Amino acid sequence: MLQLPKRPQPPKMLVSVEESYERCRQITQKYSKTFYLGTLLMPSEKRRAIWAIYVWCRRTDELVDGPQAKYTTPETLQQWQDHLQCLFKGNPIDDEDVALVDTLQRFPVEIKPFEDMIAGQHMDLHRNRYETFEDLKLYCYRVAGTVGLMSNAVLGVEKQPSIGPWNKQLENYIPKEEAIALGIANQLTNILRDVGEDAQRGRIYLPLEDLDRFNYTETDLFKGVIDDRWRELMAFQIRRARQYYKDAERGIRILSRDSRWPVWAALMLYQGILDVIEANDYDVFNQRAFVRTPKKMVYLPIAWLRAQVL
């Protein structure tokens, strides 16, 4: 019998640019309330772009941490890499892509940070321990420091920064290292907050050399032991994270004026999680550390003041 050729499938109808941005806004608000609060302090065009970037990052992270993660393979990540290439060529595939393609046209950025984030997911696919902090630092850069680099083009820098003649080297300076430092600080904070949850999945992100340094074992961690060894270990980790936040602060005054307040707010709100961990006596096994809304409201005017004078 004569076989008729299969009729080609019509191209998928995607939502409009405005609808795509609204989807990204809703996803950001649902899954990252603290981050979303910071974006509301940005001008409309910038906040929408940040939502689009956030959603791509979340979808990337979901490949290895989401409900379907058990089906993710290296081939899955390669397909996501191919998907990314399409976006940078201006060809959206899914509804959420429409906003990101528009963002990439408005705020051109290199593809490398996006590729590096996918490389970070490869690490999560094959590793559940990190021997040294240098190993962990590379992971933190890939899954979080890259977000700072993606965001730099959107945040912008001040064309005539308020600097003295003794700081002429800051003219035309792009705060890449500081953006990476903020991403690493945020990821270290995530790791400390989520120790208990990660342990339930058989993962330990705290460097094993640090556990050895404080004579705290993997068995102790899986049992949720909280004693002086654990408190000293966590205090050490928190000091390290705070140093990265401090390193990031240097770059904020270089940013465009309309970006400084939201970035200061985001930094302070996220760094506040470390204060909560301390207040909870370092119990991250039975309590999830988060900054309560009244405290968030206290941070906002302080962040505004810092944006004006620092």
Side-chain angles (χ1 to χ4, degrees), residues 148-172:
L149 297 180
M150 296 174 196
S151 304
N152 258 353
V154 177
L155 298 175
V157 296
E158 191 71 14
K159 292 182 179 179
Q160 294 181 338
S162 53
I163 58 176
W166 54 87
N167 275 329
K168 285 295 184 182
Q169 71 272 18
L170 295 181
E171 289 183 342
N172 303 316

Side-chain angles (χ1 to χ4, degrees), residues 156-158 160-164 166-167 169-170 175 178 248-257 260 263-264 306-307 309-310:
V157 296
E158 191 71 14
Q160 294 181 338
S162 53
I163 58 176
W166 54 87
N167 275 329
Q169 71 272 18
L170 295 181
E178 292 84 354
E249 290 177 3
R250 295 195 301 262
I252 300 179
R253 67 189 177 111
I254 310 292
L255 297 177
S256 298
R257 289 189 176 276
R260 295 177 196 170
V263 174
W264 266 116
R306 288 186 176 186
V309 302
L310 295 182

Side-chain angles (χ1 to χ4, degrees), residues 113-261:
F114 294 82
E115 293 176 329
D116 285 348
M117 177 170 280
I118 295 175
Q121 308 314 309
H122 277 282
M123 294 176 74
D124 254 339
L125 205 58
H126 299 293
R127 300 185 66 169
N128 58 16
R129 302 286 192 282
Y130 290 88
E131 190 67 35
T132 69
F133 177 69
E134 284 304 308
D135 295 337
L136 180 65
K137 182 180 176 182
L138 174 61
Y139 170 75
C140 290
Y141 158 71
R142 286 178 170 174
V143 301
T146 51
V147 180
L149 297 180
M150 296 174 196
S151 304
N152 258 353
V154 177
L155 298 175
V157 296
E158 191 71 14
K159 292 182 179 179
Q160 294 181 338
S162 53
I163 58 176
W166 54 87
N167 275 329
K168 285 295 184 182
Q169 71 272 18
L170 295 181
E171 289 183 342
N172 303 316
Y173 178 72
I174 305 298
K176 292 183 179 180
E177 293 301 318
E178 292 84 354
I180 291 171
L182 182 55
I184 292 175
N186 289 342
Q187 186 60 26
L188 292 175
T189 301
N190 285 338
I191 288 170
L192 298 180
R193 181 195 63 196
D194 297 340
V195 166
E197 294 178 16
D198 289 329
Q200 292 176 5
R201 296 184 294 174
R203 293 182 179 179
I204 298 177
Y205 287 101
L206 299 179
L208 298 184
E209 66 177 4
D210 291 346
L211 268 67
D212 289 341
R213 177 176 179 176
F214 292 93
N215 196 30
Y216 191 87
T217 68
E218 292 188 30
T219 301
D220 292 329
L221 190 147
F222 286 127
K223 289 181 178 179
V225 175
I226 300 174
D227 56 15
D228 288 344
R229 296 171 303 153
W230 174 251
R231 294 184 183 93
E232 291 173 7
L233 169 61
M234 286 293 285
F236 175 77
Q237 304 297 325
I238 287 175
R239 286 195 298 272
R240 174 187 281 154
R242 283 183 173 141
Q243 182 59 53
Y244 275 97
Y245 282 116
K246 185 175 181 180
D247 293 343
E249 290 177 3
R250 295 195 301 262
I252 300 179
R253 67 189 177 111
I254 310 292
L255 297 177
S256 298
R257 289 189 176 276
D258 60 9
S259 294
R260 295 177 196 170
W261 185 20

